[in-house]
Amino acid sequence: SPVPIVVIDLAGQVQVLNPAAEQFLGCTLPEIKDRAYPFVKPEELEAQALLLKRVAAGELIPKHIAFRIDAEGNPFQVEVTL
């Protein structure tokens, strides 16, 4: 896919990065696999943890807009589907 795709588990750890995500984020899957997703803005860490708890409880979240940062610290908007 030409669209960057990142998959994290319920603990917030990276499990999948497609090639477009690797290029956009400036890192490879082996560098961050099984680690906390490093591109969450510090002020959004709590919100992400709450979303993951809701999903773990069985709730479907079809679309959530959030902001992340790239390897240089530049913010960008993402659509999160859980």
Side-chain angles (χ1 to χ4, degrees), residues 23-78:
Q23 183 176 21
F24 181 77
L25 297 171
C27 63
T28 64
L29 180 59
E31 293 174 314
I32 62 173
K33 184 167 176 27
D34 296 323
R35 296 183 185 178
Y37 182 64
F39 302 105
V40 178
K41 294 176 75 174
E43 60 269 21
E44 293 205 16
L45 288 170
E46 186 176 335
Q48 176 174 294
L50 290 173
L51 282 173
L52 293 172
K53 284 182 183 180
R54 289 169 54 193
V55 171
E59 184 177 345
L60 296 177
I61 301 171
K63 184 176 181 181
H64 174 77
I65 301 300
F67 291 88
R68 300 292 182 253
I69 52 175
D70 65 17
E72 284 86 39
N74 301 307
F76 61 93
Q77 185 175 322
V78 296

